[in-house]
PDB file of all heavy atoms in Angstrom:
ATOM      1  N   LYS A 306       5.468   8.600 -17.927  1.00 98.00           N
ATOM      2  CA  LYS A 306       3.945   8.513 -17.688  1.00 98.00           C
ATOM      3  C   LYS A 306       3.720   8.044 -16.218  1.00 98.00           C
ATOM      4  O   LYS A 306       4.282   6.951 -15.863  1.00 98.00           O
ATOM      5  CB  LYS A 306       3.281   7.420 -18.652  1.00 98.00           C
ATOM      6  CG  LYS A 306       3.376   7.898 -20.102  1.00 98.00           C
ATOM      7  CD  LYS A 306       2.758   6.917 -21.040  1.00 98.00           C
ATOM      8  CE  LYS A 306       2.931   7.240 -22.418  1.00 98.00           C
ATOM      9  NZ  LYS A 306       3.355   6.078 -23.287  1.00 98.00           N
ATOM     10  N   PHE A 307       2.824   8.806 -15.512  1.00 98.00           N
ATOM     11  CA  PHE A 307       2.602   8.507 -14.171  1.00 98.00           C
ATOM     12  C   PHE A 307       1.315   7.703 -13.953  1.00 98.00           C
ATOM     13  O   PHE A 307       0.187   8.194 -14.445  1.00 98.00           O
ATOM     14  CB  PHE A 307       2.492   9.848 -13.387  1.00 98.00           C
ATOM     15  CG  PHE A 307       2.144   9.650 -11.932  1.00 98.00           C
ATOM     16  CD1 PHE A 307       2.784   8.810 -11.057  1.00 98.00           C
ATOM     17  CD2 PHE A 307       1.252  10.603 -11.312  1.00 98.00           C
ATOM     18  CE1 PHE A 307       2.542   8.605  -9.761  1.00 98.00           C
ATOM     19  CE2 PHE A 307       0.876  10.492 -10.039  1.00 98.00           C
ATOM     20  CZ  PHE A 307       1.394   9.466  -9.288  1.00 98.00           C
ATOM     21  N   ILE A 308       1.400   6.506 -13.415  1.00 98.00           N
ATOM     22  CA  ILE A 308       0.269   5.677 -13.278  1.00 98.00           C
ATOM     23  C   ILE A 308      -0.036   5.554 -11.663  1.00 98.00           C
ATOM     24  O   ILE A 308       0.810   5.112 -11.018  1.00 98.00           O
ATOM     25  CB  ILE A 308       0.407   4.327 -13.803  1.00 98.00           C
ATOM     26  CG1 ILE A 308       1.022   4.356 -15.238  1.00 98.00           C
ATOM     27  CG2 ILE A 308      -0.813   3.481 -13.665  1.00 98.00           C
ATOM     28  CD1 ILE A 308       0.020   4.452 -16.343  1.00 98.00           C
ATOM     29  N   VAL A 309      -1.183   5.926 -11.163  1.00 98.00           N
ATOM     30  CA  VAL A 309      -1.515   5.770  -9.838  1.00 98.00           C
ATOM     31  C   VAL A 309      -3.075   5.250  -9.722  1.00 98.00           C
ATOM     32  O   VAL A 309      -3.808   5.695 -10.520  1.00 98.00           O
ATOM     33  CB  VAL A 309      -1.371   7.086  -9.020  1.00 98.00           C
ATOM     34  CG1 VAL A 309      -2.228   8.156  -9.421  1.00 98.00           C
ATOM     35  CG2 VAL A 309      -1.492   6.830  -7.560  1.00 98.00           C
ATOM     36  N   PRO A 310      -3.225   4.053  -9.026  1.00 98.00           N
ATOM     37  CA  PRO A 310      -4.534   3.531  -9.051  1.00 98.00           C
ATOM     38  C   PRO A 310      -5.529   4.532  -8.466  1.00 98.00           C
ATOM     39  O   PRO A 310      -5.085   5.498  -7.802  1.00 98.00           O
ATOM     40  CB  PRO A 310      -4.360   2.344  -8.006  1.00 98.00           C
ATOM     41  CG  PRO A 310      -2.938   2.090  -7.890  1.00 98.00           C
ATOM     42  CD  PRO A 310      -2.297   3.360  -8.223  1.00 98.00           C
ATOM     43  N   PRO A 311      -6.864   4.372  -8.772  1.00 98.00           N
ATOM     44  CA  PRO A 311      -7.812   5.348  -8.144  1.00 98.00           C
ATOM     45  C   PRO A 311      -7.785   5.098  -6.635  1.00 98.00           C
ATOM     46  O   PRO A 311      -7.359   4.055  -6.128  1.00 98.00           O
ATOM     47  CB  PRO A 311      -9.187   4.781  -8.682  1.00 98.00           C
ATOM     48  CG  PRO A 311      -8.917   3.416  -9.247  1.00 98.00           C
ATOM     49  CD  PRO A 311      -7.454   3.398  -9.641  1.00 98.00           C
ATOM     50  N   ILE A 312      -8.225   6.165  -5.887  1.00 97.00           N
ATOM     51  CA  ILE A 312      -8.030   6.148  -4.370  1.00 97.00           C
ATOM     52  C   ILE A 312      -8.738   4.855  -3.777  1.00 97.00           C
ATOM     53  O   ILE A 312      -8.097   4.262  -2.874  1.00 97.00           O
ATOM     54  CB  ILE A 312      -8.632   7.452  -3.835  1.00 97.00           C
ATOM     55  CG1 ILE A 312      -7.756   8.537  -4.212  1.00 97.00           C
ATOM     56  CG2 ILE A 312      -8.741   7.334  -2.284  1.00 97.00           C
ATOM     57  CD1 ILE A 312      -8.064   9.888  -3.763  1.00 97.00           C
ATOM     58  N   SER A 313      -9.762   4.360  -4.262  1.00 97.00           N
ATOM     59  CA  SER A 313     -10.388   3.159  -3.819  1.00 97.00           C
ATOM     60  C   SER A 313      -9.555   2.007  -3.996  1.00 97.00           C
ATOM     61  O   SER A 313      -9.810   0.953  -3.276  1.00 97.00           O
ATOM     62  CB  SER A 313     -11.711   2.958  -4.580  1.00 97.00           C
ATOM     63  OG  SER A 313     -11.441   2.815  -5.935  1.00 97.00           O
ATOM     64  N   LEU A 314      -8.521   1.973  -4.802  1.00 98.00           N
ATOM     65  CA  LEU A 314      -7.584   0.817  -4.969  1.00 98.00           C
ATOM     66  C   LEU A 314      -6.312   1.036  -4.365  1.00 98.00           C
ATOM     67  O   LEU A 314      -5.270   0.216  -4.536  1.00 98.00           O
ATOM     68  CB  LEU A 314      -7.488   0.423  -6.386  1.00 98.00           C
ATOM     69  CG  LEU A 314      -8.863  -0.055  -7.120  1.00 98.00           C
ATOM     70  CD1 LEU A 314      -8.581  -0.436  -8.520  1.00 98.00           C
ATOM     71  CD2 LEU A 314      -9.489  -1.317  -6.372  1.00 98.00           C
ATOM     72  N   CYS A 315      -6.030   2.195  -3.686  1.00 98.00           N
ATOM     73  CA  CYS A 315      -4.739   2.420  -3.020  1.00 98.00           C
ATOM     74  C   CYS A 315      -4.660   1.786  -1.667  1.00 98.00           C
ATOM     75  O   CYS A 315      -3.681   1.034  -1.319  1.00 98.00           O
ATOM     76  CB  CYS A 315      -4.601   3.963  -2.842  1.00 98.00           C
ATOM     77  SG  CYS A 315      -4.236   4.822  -4.289  1.00 98.00           S
ATOM     78  N   GLY A 316      -5.647   1.823  -0.823  1.00 98.00           N
ATOM     79  CA  GLY A 316      -5.612   1.107   0.426  1.00 98.00           C
ATOM     80  C   GLY A 316      -5.897  -0.377   0.193  1.00 98.00           C
ATOM     81  O   GLY A 316      -6.076  -0.757  -0.871  1.00 98.00           O
ATOM     82  N   ASP A 317      -5.752  -1.135   1.316  1.00 98.00           N
ATOM     83  CA  ASP A 317      -5.834  -2.570   1.155  1.00 98.00           C
ATOM     84  C   ASP A 317      -7.228  -3.011   0.560  1.00 98.00           C
ATOM     85  O   ASP A 317      -8.291  -2.640   1.090  1.00 98.00           O
ATOM     86  CB  ASP A 317      -5.516  -3.241   2.504  1.00 98.00           C
ATOM     87  CG  ASP A 317      -4.117  -3.042   2.942  1.00 98.00           C
ATOM     88  OD1 ASP A 317      -3.323  -2.748   2.109  1.00 98.00           O
ATOM     89  OD2 ASP A 317      -3.886  -3.321   4.130  1.00 98.00           O
ATOM     90  N   ASN A 318      -7.125  -3.836  -0.439  1.00 98.00           N
ATOM     91  CA  ASN A 318      -8.470  -4.389  -1.133  1.00 98.00           C
ATOM     92  C   ASN A 318      -8.031  -5.729  -1.765  1.00 98.00           C
ATOM     93  O   ASN A 318      -6.897  -5.906  -2.196  1.00 98.00           O
ATOM     94  CB  ASN A 318      -8.960  -3.329  -1.978  1.00 98.00           C
ATOM     95  CG  ASN A 318      -8.084  -3.166  -3.214  1.00 98.00           C
ATOM     96  OD1 ASN A 318      -8.331  -3.880  -4.231  1.00 98.00           O
ATOM     97  ND2 ASN A 318      -7.111  -2.203  -3.137  1.00 98.00           N
ATOM     98  N   ALA A 319      -9.052  -6.556  -1.994  1.00 98.00           N
ATOM     99  CA  ALA A 319      -8.723  -7.840  -2.685  1.00 98.00           C
ATOM    100  C   ALA A 319      -8.665  -7.719  -4.158  1.00 98.00           C
ATOM    101  O   ALA A 319      -8.040  -8.604  -4.733  1.00 98.00           O
ATOM    102  CB  ALA A 319      -9.853  -8.816  -2.227  1.00 98.00           C
ATOM    103  N   ALA A 320      -9.281  -6.674  -4.772  1.00 98.00           N
ATOM    104  CA  ALA A 320      -9.059  -6.623  -6.263  1.00 98.00           C
ATOM    105  C   ALA A 320      -7.571  -6.626  -6.660  1.00 98.00           C
ATOM    106  O   ALA A 320      -7.169  -7.235  -7.674  1.00 98.00           O
ATOM    107  CB  ALA A 320      -9.769  -5.430  -6.774  1.00 98.00           C
ATOM    108  N   MET A 321      -6.829  -5.815  -5.889  1.00 98.00           N
ATOM    109  CA  MET A 321      -5.307  -5.825  -6.231  1.00 98.00           C
ATOM    110  C   MET A 321      -4.716  -7.128  -6.076  1.00 98.00           C
ATOM    111  O   MET A 321      -3.877  -7.523  -6.817  1.00 98.00           O
ATOM    112  CB  MET A 321      -4.568  -4.768  -5.346  1.00 98.00           C
ATOM    113  CG  MET A 321      -4.540  -5.065  -3.895  1.00 98.00           C
ATOM    114  SD  MET A 321      -3.865  -3.593  -3.029  1.00 98.00           S
ATOM    115  CE  MET A 321      -3.328  -4.429  -1.492  1.00 98.00           C
ATOM    116  N   THR A 322      -5.188  -7.951  -5.037  1.00 98.00           N
ATOM    117  CA  THR A 322      -4.670  -9.247  -4.856  1.00 98.00           C
ATOM    118  C   THR A 322      -4.965 -10.240  -6.009  1.00 98.00           C
ATOM    119  O   THR A 322      -4.157 -10.912  -6.545  1.00 98.00           O
ATOM    120  CB  THR A 322      -5.283  -9.893  -3.615  1.00 98.00           C
ATOM    121  OG1 THR A 322      -5.234  -8.916  -2.525  1.00 98.00           O
ATOM    122  CG2 THR A 322      -4.600 -11.168  -3.105  1.00 98.00           C
ATOM    123  N   GLY A 323      -6.211  -9.990  -6.559  1.00 98.00           N
ATOM    124  CA  GLY A 323      -6.579 -10.775  -7.668  1.00 98.00           C
ATOM    125  C   GLY A 323      -5.866 -10.426  -8.904  1.00 98.00           C
ATOM    126  O   GLY A 323      -5.420 -11.241  -9.772  1.00 98.00           O
ATOM    127  N   ALA A 324      -5.464  -9.113  -9.079  1.00 98.00           N
ATOM    128  CA  ALA A 324      -4.680  -8.731 -10.296  1.00 98.00           C
ATOM    129  C   ALA A 324      -3.333  -9.297 -10.202  1.00 98.00           C
ATOM    130  O   ALA A 324      -2.946  -9.844 -11.289  1.00 98.00           O
ATOM    131  CB  ALA A 324      -4.615  -7.130 -10.328  1.00 98.00           C
ATOM    132  N   ALA A 325      -2.713  -9.310  -9.108  1.00 98.00           N
ATOM    133  CA  ALA A 325      -1.363  -9.873  -8.966  1.00 98.00           C
ATOM    134  C   ALA A 325      -1.549 -11.434  -9.255  1.00 98.00           C
ATOM    135  O   ALA A 325      -0.701 -12.002  -9.875  1.00 98.00           O
ATOM    136  CB  ALA A 325      -0.796  -9.505  -7.583  1.00 98.00           C
ATOM    137  N   GLY A 326      -2.549 -12.003  -8.587  1.00 98.00           N
ATOM    138  CA  GLY A 326      -2.788 -13.471  -8.802  1.00 98.00           C
ATOM    139  C   GLY A 326      -3.058 -13.938 -10.187  1.00 98.00           C
ATOM    140  O   GLY A 326      -2.553 -14.915 -10.582  1.00 98.00           O
ATOM    141  N   TYR A 327      -3.642 -13.044 -10.948  1.00 98.00           N
ATOM    142  CA  TYR A 327      -3.921 -13.367 -12.359  1.00 98.00           C
ATOM    143  C   TYR A 327      -2.539 -13.695 -13.088  1.00 98.00           C
ATOM    144  O   TYR A 327      -2.500 -14.653 -13.877  1.00 98.00           O
ATOM    145  CB  TYR A 327      -4.623 -12.206 -12.985  1.00 98.00           C
ATOM    146  CG  TYR A 327      -4.931 -12.305 -14.517  1.00 98.00           C
ATOM    147  CD1 TYR A 327      -5.486 -13.498 -15.073  1.00 98.00           C
ATOM    148  CD2 TYR A 327      -4.397 -11.295 -15.395  1.00 98.00           C
ATOM    149  CE1 TYR A 327      -5.631 -13.574 -16.367  1.00 98.00           C
ATOM    150  CE2 TYR A 327      -4.581 -11.396 -16.702  1.00 98.00           C
ATOM    151  CZ  TYR A 327      -5.203 -12.464 -17.350  1.00 98.00           C
ATOM    152  OH  TYR A 327      -5.370 -12.634 -18.590  1.00 98.00           O
ATOM    153  N   TYR A 328      -1.623 -12.773 -12.838  1.00 98.00           N
ATOM    154  CA  TYR A 328      -0.331 -12.907 -13.641  1.00 98.00           C
ATOM    155  C   TYR A 328       0.486 -14.160 -13.110  1.00 98.00           C
ATOM    156  O   TYR A 328       1.221 -14.771 -13.788  1.00 98.00           O
ATOM    157  CB  TYR A 328       0.473 -11.616 -13.563  1.00 98.00           C
ATOM    158  CG  TYR A 328      -0.234 -10.548 -14.469  1.00 98.00           C
ATOM    159  CD1 TYR A 328      -0.927  -9.438 -13.968  1.00 98.00           C
ATOM    160  CD2 TYR A 328      -0.210 -10.622 -15.805  1.00 98.00           C
ATOM    161  CE1 TYR A 328      -1.561  -8.517 -14.750  1.00 98.00           C
ATOM    162  CE2 TYR A 328      -0.711  -9.726 -16.661  1.00 98.00           C
ATOM    163  CZ  TYR A 328      -1.443  -8.635 -16.094  1.00 98.00           C
ATOM    164  OH  TYR A 328      -2.068  -7.798 -16.893  1.00 98.00           O
ATOM    165  N   LEU A 329       0.242 -14.461 -11.828  1.00 98.00           N
ATOM    166  CA  LEU A 329       0.878 -15.665 -11.282  1.00 98.00           C
ATOM    167  C   LEU A 329       0.224 -16.822 -11.838  1.00 98.00           C
ATOM    168  O   LEU A 329       0.880 -17.806 -12.111  1.00 98.00           O
ATOM    169  CB  LEU A 329       0.772 -15.591  -9.765  1.00 98.00           C
ATOM    170  CG  LEU A 329       1.563 -14.631  -8.975  1.00 98.00           C
ATOM    171  CD1 LEU A 329       1.178 -14.536  -7.530  1.00 98.00           C
ATOM    172  CD2 LEU A 329       3.166 -14.921  -9.050  1.00 98.00           C
ATOM    173  N   TYR A 330      -1.071 -16.795 -11.993  1.00 98.00           N
ATOM    174  CA  TYR A 330      -1.846 -17.967 -12.521  1.00 98.00           C
ATOM    175  C   TYR A 330      -1.392 -18.177 -13.954  1.00 98.00           C
ATOM    176  O   TYR A 330      -1.098 -19.345 -14.391  1.00 98.00           O
ATOM    177  CB  TYR A 330      -3.408 -17.519 -12.598  1.00 98.00           C
ATOM    178  CG  TYR A 330      -4.299 -18.494 -13.254  1.00 98.00           C
ATOM    179  CD1 TYR A 330      -4.879 -19.454 -12.449  1.00 98.00           C
ATOM    180  CD2 TYR A 330      -4.439 -18.446 -14.635  1.00 98.00           C
ATOM    181  CE1 TYR A 330      -5.597 -20.441 -13.136  1.00 98.00           C
ATOM    182  CE2 TYR A 330      -5.396 -19.360 -15.214  1.00 98.00           C
ATOM    183  CZ  TYR A 330      -5.878 -20.370 -14.529  1.00 98.00           C
ATOM    184  OH  TYR A 330      -6.741 -21.357 -14.994  1.00 98.00           O
ATOM    185  N   LYS A 331      -1.176 -17.135 -14.751  1.00 97.00           N
ATOM    186  CA  LYS A 331      -0.624 -17.357 -16.138  1.00 97.00           C
ATOM    187  C   LYS A 331       0.613 -18.029 -16.244  1.00 97.00           C
ATOM    188  O   LYS A 331       1.034 -18.659 -17.152  1.00 97.00           O
ATOM    189  CB  LYS A 331      -0.632 -15.902 -16.811  1.00 97.00           C
ATOM    190  CG  LYS A 331      -1.898 -15.280 -17.229  1.00 97.00           C
ATOM    191  CD  LYS A 331      -1.583 -13.972 -17.851  1.00 97.00           C
ATOM    192  CE  LYS A 331      -2.500 -13.752 -19.048  1.00 97.00           C
ATOM    193  NZ  LYS A 331      -1.894 -12.623 -19.974  1.00 97.00           N
TER     194      LYS A 331
END
Side-chain angles (χ1 to χ4, degrees):
K306 292 178 191 140
F307 176 46
I308 313 271
V309 62
I312 293 184
S313 59
L314 297 180
C315 286
D317 292 346
N318 69 88
M321 67 185 199
T322 312
Y327 172 57
Y328 289 105
L329 292 166
Y330 176 90
K331 285 182 142 194

